[in-house]
Amino acid sequence: MKVLFFASLRDTLGTSELQEPLATGESLTADGLRERLKSRGEAWQKALSQPSLLVAVNQAMVPWDTLLSDDDEVALFPPVTGG
Amino acid sequence: MKVLFFASLRDTLGTSELQEPLATGESLTADGLRERLKSRGEAWQKALSQPSLLVAVNQAMVPWDTLLSDDDEVALFPPVTGG
Amino acid sequence: MVQTQTEIRVQTQDFDLGAEYQQLASQSDCGAVVTFTGLVRDYTDPQKVTSPAPVSELFLEHYPGMTEKALASIVERARARWPLGPVTVIHRVGALPLNAQIVFVGVASAHRQAAFSAAQFIMDYLKTEAPFWKKETSGGQTQWVDARESDQQERRRWE
Amino acid sequence: MVQTQTEIRVQTQDFDLGAEYQQLASQSDCGAVVTFTGLVRDYTDPQKVTSPAPVSELFLEHYPGMTEKALASIVERARARWPLGPVTVIHRVGALPLNAQIVFVGVASAHRQAAFSAAQFIMDYLKTEAPFWKKETSGGQTQWVDARESDQQERRRWE
């Protein structure tokens, strides 16, 4: 699946987009994806532990226990500050 | 004192303004003025008995028990409907 | 530096919302500007057979001298409740055709909620305290518009 | 006949409030039009010695594709709560200098309170759900703006 990062989270990780494969039959929640990405290093561990982090699946905000599919577009980002 | 009438009240009474003398030392409230004006005839009796009628003294809305002075500008009118 | 200028106008001529907004936005450093505009509409129900003829015109009467004082007093009470920048209130009087603009309230503030609340407060009090009266023309007949209890209720929530 | 057109625009260019208002007022027979405009202001406190340098510019990042969907969803939820005519939401992105317009919400309705409530509702949800992020430049330094708890609280009152 495609994973996108925005704003301060993207700056901290130095990554705006990556591909994370999902094995056939594998069951992964948005929170599970977050845990998996934390293993990429100290910066990832720290940035993805922010409790205020938000997640969108296919361009709509969802709770962290949402199950993901391999063709999903997942986006992780800090609290929004528009308006 | 000067007494003004506006909108539907003026149309019903056929009068936009009148002078109502106040004797020296006489104590009259806005409600007392209303009662006095009712004696001018049946149309006055009926129109001035409307419970929703409002009163302003010197261009500010006041309660009906407000005491009047001979140099006051008193205005009687129906509920406002601007905006 | 937040300006606290209040502008009150009671006039027969129309107003330009874009120009009024520009003045509010440029004469202060407030980050939020809320405007309310009221227009003459025909709310008679076309579905009702017994409905009167459509409204073709309003006539706005007022109590000259008192209107400006009443509006200024309402804005002062809003300023006592919320931190406001410039505020503009315009109310038209005289004959107003269908679709004409009747009233404008513009409020600038550093705070979004203050700008929204103050604009609502000013409209709610204007509707119940400012000495304006509407006369409606429909089907060649004119009649004074009745006050609505809902306007009284909307004002009372601020007490 | 009340129109229920929703217009959502996410754009780098500026907008003309007067023109947006005219469109809302002319494409319906709604008697009430409420607009909200947000502007780039410098709220650093000049009294504080420790205050950072004044803000000279904002940069607005967004999540293309999701922003329009998020804004349209917010307007739909407002329409489910209040009887609304045309609604316009414009949000600018990219570099915005001091005093630039950032956001516009315009709501027309037959009912004054519906127009006010819906405009507030849309702004409160826009601030907490629409994927925009502000980066501030002051004294040559840029930093991401922190979300404010007060914005979360303002949204929660609608739940």
Side-chain angles (χ1 to χ4, degrees):
Chain A
M1 80 195 82
K2 184 159 82 169
V3 186
L4 306 174
F5 307 97
F6 288 97
S8 57
L9 182 63
R10 178 205 49 229
D11 288 0
T12 307
L13 301 180
T15 305
S16 62
E17 180 178 341
L18 56 78
Q19 289 290 334
E20 184 69 26
L22 196 62
T24 313
E26 188 185 355
S27 175
L28 185 72
T29 63
D31 203 47
L33 172 67
R34 176 157 79 162
E35 289 307 312
R36 188 186 291 188
L37 293 171
K38 279 183 186 174
S39 67
R40 289 183 166 236
E42 204 178 325
W44 294 72
Q45 168 71 36
K46 198 177 160 197
L48 295 172
S49 297
Q50 292 291 327
S52 60
L53 221 59
L54 299 173
V55 59
V57 174
N58 300 327
Q59 310 187 342
M61 291 232 248
V62 294
W64 283 101
D65 60 2
T66 302
L67 274 173
L68 304 177
S69 304
D70 197 37
D71 54 355
D72 281 342
E73 174 179 304
V74 183
L76 304 181
F77 44 78
V80 302
T81 56
Chain B
M1 81 197 79
K2 184 158 83 168
V3 187
L4 306 173
F5 306 97
F6 288 97
S8 57
L9 182 63
R10 178 205 50 230
D11 288 1
T12 307
L13 302 179
T15 306
S16 63
E17 180 177 340
L18 55 77
Q19 289 291 332
E20 185 68 27
L22 197 62
T24 313
E26 189 185 354
S27 176
L28 185 72
T29 63
D31 203 48
L33 171 67
R34 175 157 77 162
E35 289 307 312
R36 190 186 290 186
L37 292 170
K38 281 182 186 172
S39 66
R40 289 184 166 237
E42 204 178 322
W44 294 72
Q45 169 70 37
K46 197 177 161 199
L48 294 172
S49 297
Q50 293 291 326
S52 60
L53 222 59
L54 300 173
V55 59
V57 173
N58 300 326
Q59 310 187 341
M61 292 233 248
V62 294
W64 283 101
D65 60 2
T66 302
L67 275 172
L68 304 175
S69 305
D70 198 35
D71 55 353
D72 281 342
E73 174 179 303
V74 183
L76 304 181
F77 45 77
V80 303
T81 56
Chain C
M1 176 62 185
V2 173
Q3 301 299 313
T4 54
Q5 191 181 320
T6 298
E7 185 164 339
I8 307 281
R9 301 202 315 258
V10 178
Q11 60 190 39
T12 53
Q13 68 266 34
D14 202 4
F15 54 84
D16 175 349
L17 182 127
E20 298 303 333
Y21 161 74
Q22 278 305 330
Q23 207 189 349
L24 290 166
S26 66
Q27 76 183 189
S28 76
D29 57 5
C30 293
V33 180
V34 170
T35 74
F36 173 85
T37 312
L39 302 112
V40 180
R41 301 301 193 185
D42 172 25
Y43 287 137
T44 53
D45 186 348
Q47 303 301 314
K48 274 196 212 156
V49 179
T50 56
S51 173
V55 172
S56 56
E57 190 184 281
L58 280 187
F59 184 87
L60 259 292
E61 177 175 326
H62 73 127
Y63 178 178
M66 180 172 163
T67 29
E68 291 83 351
K69 282 184 200 173
L71 295 173
S73 155
I74 292 166
V75 174
E76 282 319 299
R77 276 175 278 163
R79 287 195 184 285
R81 284 180 172 239
W82 298 283
L84 306 179
V87 174
T88 300
V89 179
I90 305 172
H91 204 298
R92 293 178 70 191
V93 291
L96 296 174
L98 204 59
N99 301 322
Q101 301 183 125
I102 308 173
V103 60
F104 171 82
V105 172
V107 177
S109 175
H111 306 278
R112 171 171 100 255
Q113 306 299 354
F116 270 118
S117 297
Q120 279 186 285
F121 176 96
I122 291 168
M123 275 308 300
D124 288 349
Y125 276 83
L126 183 155
K127 285 248 172 200
T128 51
E129 289 195 359
F132 296 98
W133 300 273
K134 285 194 187 99
K135 199 163 63 179
E136 214 169 61
T137 300
S138 62
Q141 303 271 19
T142 67
Q143 62 173 29
W144 291 99
V145 171
D146 284 332
R148 293 184 311 174
E149 176 53 28
S150 62
D151 287 328
Q152 294 293 333
Q153 282 164 11
E154 282 155 7
R155 181 184 57 78
R156 276 195 287 266
R157 69 194 158 125
W158 300 106
E159 285 169 3
Chain D
M1 174 64 183
V2 171
Q3 301 299 314
T4 54
Q5 190 182 320
T6 298
E7 185 165 339
I8 307 281
R9 303 206 310 261
V10 178
Q11 60 189 40
T12 54
Q13 69 266 34
D14 202 4
F15 53 84
D16 175 350
L17 181 127
E20 299 302 333
Y21 161 75
Q22 279 305 330
Q23 207 190 348
L24 290 166
S26 66
Q27 76 183 188
S28 76
D29 57 4
C30 293
V33 180
V34 170
T35 74
F36 173 85
T37 312
L39 301 112
V40 181
R41 300 302 194 183
D42 172 26
Y43 287 138
T44 52
D45 186 347
Q47 303 300 314
K48 273 198 211 152
V49 180
T50 57
S51 173
V55 172
S56 56
E57 191 183 279
L58 279 187
F59 184 87
L60 260 292
E61 177 175 327
H62 73 126
Y63 178 0
M66 180 172 164
T67 30
E68 290 84 351
K69 283 185 200 173
L71 295 173
S73 155
I74 293 166
V75 174
E76 283 317 299
R77 278 176 278 163
R79 288 195 184 284
R81 285 179 172 238
W82 299 282
L84 305 180
V87 174
T88 300
V89 179
I90 305 172
H91 203 298
R92 293 179 69 192
V93 292
L96 296 175
L98 203 59
N99 301 322
Q101 301 182 125
I102 307 172
V103 61
F104 171 82
V105 173
V107 177
S109 175
H111 305 278
R112 172 171 100 256
Q113 306 299 353
F116 270 118
S117 297
Q120 278 187 285
F121 177 96
I122 291 168
M123 274 308 301
D124 288 350
Y125 276 84
L126 183 155
K127 285 247 171 198
T128 52
E129 288 194 359
F132 296 97
W133 299 274
K134 286 196 186 96
K135 198 162 62 177
E136 211 168 64
T137 300
S138 61
Q141 305 271 20
T142 67
Q143 61 173 31
W144 292 98
V145 172
D146 285 330
R148 293 184 312 173
E149 177 52 27
S150 61
D151 287 329
Q152 295 292 335
Q153 282 164 11
E154 282 155 6
R155 182 182 58 77
R156 276 194 288 265
R157 71 194 158 123
W158 301 106
E159 285 169 5

